[in-house]
Amino acid sequence: MKTIMMSAIGAAMAFTLVSAVCANRNTTHKKTAPAGNGFAVLELFTSEGCSSCPSADALLARIQDEAGNKPIYILAYHVDYWNRLGWKDIFSDSRFSKRQYQYSEQLNSQVYTPQLVVNGKSSCIGSDEAAVTNAVGDALTSAAELTLNIKGQLQSGKASLAYEFTGDAGNSRLLIATVQKRAVSKVTRGENEGRMLSHVQIVRDLHSFGLGAKQGTVQVNLPGDFNTQEWELIGMIQHGETGAIKAVTRASL
């Protein structure tokens, strides 16, 4: 696992080997939810420039393939702070780095790759199979605070999404992630030089909307090559202050 810390002006970076385990900020006992009520949103912060990341990518790919009908949602964010170290990750985006730094404040955690954030409530090393498995199990047996449904219609380069939720979504926002399901890259420089890297559930765009009424319609722009076989839209309701994800669903397109 690689830790990257940047100064206020972004002129210096230091790498540190860190040890981490999944730790929930809320130490009170978990409530047992009815079967199927819990969900697991696995947000992986990764980079093609990081030699520790391919093992995390592979673990998340296996979880994705074995998920079946379980409510497991994988979102891989490629951060951009590795780009200056010899290889520019074509999937990277500064907004995803910003999202990771926001989580570091909310979870009181370090910023490193590969970092996995589960339901916006806990984090662990993304390649630590035991920690990830335990975190997924805990998430699936926890009670969901809200329910969310999204139905969409594809238009010319856009998607019109009608959403509806139940429960109290106070101080929360609706996030829509545009996700490319799979991709392969040949890396020719940096720590992964010469490697062919496989990726799953790559977040290519992330839209944020305010929530007022329990139902409404939002619109998002789509990539030119968007199709329902190779892409999907995942919607989440996330608390603005704590970062906790209260509901998640795949848009029905």
Side-chain angles (χ1 to χ4, degrees), residues 4 9 17 19 42 44-45 83 109 119 122 131 133 142 195 213:
I4 295 186
I9 60 173
L17 181 65
S19 174
L42 309 182
L44 178 66
F45 294 92
N83 289 352
S109 66
N119 285 1
S122 64
T133 299
S142 297
R195 299 186 66 174

Side-chain angles (χ1 to χ4, degrees), residues 52-100:
S52 299
C53 289
S55 57
D57 295 331
L59 174 58
L60 270 292
R62 188 164 75 249
I63 292 173
Q64 173 78 4
D65 291 340
E66 296 174 355
N69 293 324
K70 295 179 181 177
I72 296 175
Y73 302 82
I74 294 173
L75 298 169
Y77 300 93
H78 288 237
V79 297
D80 71 335
Y81 49 78
W82 276 91
N83 289 352
R84 68 194 70 186
L85 301 176
W87 175 252
K88 184 175 181 179
D89 187 335
I90 63 171
F91 302 114
S92 65
D93 194 305
S94 62
R95 293 175 300 166
F96 305 154
S97 301
K98 182 178 179 181
R99 182 167 177 80
Q100 186 183 21

Side-chain angles (χ1 to χ4, degrees), residues 10-29:
M13 305 175 69
F15 300 87
T16 308
L17 181 65
V18 301
S19 174
V21 296
C22 279
N24 197 306
R25 294 169 304 178
N26 185 353
T27 58
T28 58
H29 67 278

Side-chain angles (χ1 to χ4, degrees), residues 48 87 185-197:
E48 290 186 340
W87 175 252
S185 293
K186 176 66 180 293
V187 178
T188 60
R189 294 184 300 279
E191 290 191 1
N192 289 314
E193 181 178 358
R195 299 186 66 174
M196 187 72 73
L197 302 182

Side-chain angles (χ1 to χ4, degrees), residues 29-232:
H29 67 278
K30 297 181 177 65
K31 297 179 180 179
T32 300
N37 190 34
F39 60 82
V41 177
L42 309 182
E43 297 183 85
L44 178 66
F45 294 92
T46 184
S47 172
E48 290 186 340
C50 165
S51 62
S52 299
C53 289
S55 57
D57 295 331
L59 174 58
L60 270 292
R62 188 164 75 249
I63 292 173
Q64 173 78 4
D65 291 340
E66 296 174 355
N69 293 324
K70 295 179 181 177
I72 296 175
Y73 302 82
I74 294 173
L75 298 169
Y77 300 93
H78 288 237
V79 297
D80 71 335
Y81 49 78
W82 276 91
N83 289 352
R84 68 194 70 186
L85 301 176
W87 175 252
K88 184 175 181 179
D89 187 335
I90 63 171
F91 302 114
S92 65
D93 194 305
S94 62
R95 293 175 300 166
F96 305 154
S97 301
K98 182 178 179 181
R99 182 167 177 80
Q100 186 183 21
Y101 271 85
Q102 184 175 5
Y103 271 137
S104 75
E105 296 178 0
Q106 292 166 329
L107 300 175
N108 193 27
S109 66
Q110 292 180 287
V111 172
Y112 59 88
T113 53
Q115 182 181 24
L116 186 73
V117 176
V118 181
N119 285 1
K121 298 177 180 179
S122 64
S123 70
C124 63
I125 301 172
S127 57
D128 186 337
E129 184 170 0
V132 173
T133 299
N134 288 337
V136 172
D138 288 345
L140 292 177
T141 56
S142 297
E145 297 183 47
L146 306 174
T147 63
L148 174 65
N149 289 291
I150 300 177
K151 294 182 179 180
Q153 292 186 336
L154 298 181
Q155 302 168 346
S156 178
K158 297 180 180 180
S160 179
L161 305 172
Y163 68 85
E164 183 176 5
F165 68 89
T166 62
D168 182 8
N171 197 24
S172 297
R173 296 185 67 82
L174 174 67
L175 304 183
I176 304 293
T178 303
V179 179
Q180 184 177 351
K181 294 181 180 180
R182 295 188 182 271
V184 176
S185 293
K186 176 66 180 293
V187 178
T188 60
R189 294 184 300 279
E191 290 191 1
N192 289 314
E193 181 178 358
R195 299 186 66 174
M196 187 72 73
L197 302 182
S198 297
H199 308 299
V200 298
Q201 296 298 104
I202 312 154
V203 178
R204 303 302 301 272
D205 207 347
L206 187 64
H207 306 270
S208 178
F209 303 93
L211 282 175
K214 291 185 180 292
Q215 58 184 14
T217 302
V218 297
Q219 192 174 77
V220 299
N221 293 324
L222 300 175
D225 56 347
F226 184 94
N227 62 77
T228 55
Q229 287 72 46
E230 299 174 314
W231 298 74
E232 65 180 353

